[in-house]
Amino acid sequence: MTHVGYLIAGWSISVGAVLAYAGWVLLRGRSLSRRVPENRRRWMMPDD
């Protein structure tokens, strides 16, 4: 057996873990942004 199976498994696990972490960070950021009062949301204010 060649090492291709190990390479594919290693890359799949690594990429899957990074994608899962990115998804968790995005969902967590969205849930936290809802908790910020409207008058404190600086990133949503227009630039004057």
Side-chain angles (χ1 to χ4, degrees), residues 2 6 19 22 26-27 29-30 33 43 47-48:
T2 65
Y6 292 111
L19 290 176
L26 288 173
L27 290 175
R30 287 179 185 171
S33 69
W43 65 92
D47 293 332
D48 290 329

Side-chain angles (χ1 to χ4, degrees), residues 2 5-6 10 15 17 21 26-28 31-32 35-36 44-45:
T2 65
Y6 292 111
V15 170
Y21 179 69
L26 288 173
L27 290 175
R28 180 75 174 143
S31 68
L32 289 175
R35 298 175 64 185
V36 177
M44 299 183 82
M45 298 174 109

Side-chain angles (χ1 to χ4, degrees), residues 6-29:
Y6 292 111
L7 286 171
I8 292 172
W11 276 99
S12 299
I13 291 169
S14 299
V15 170
V18 169
L19 290 176
Y21 179 69
W24 178 79
V25 168
L26 288 173
L27 290 175
R28 180 75 174 143

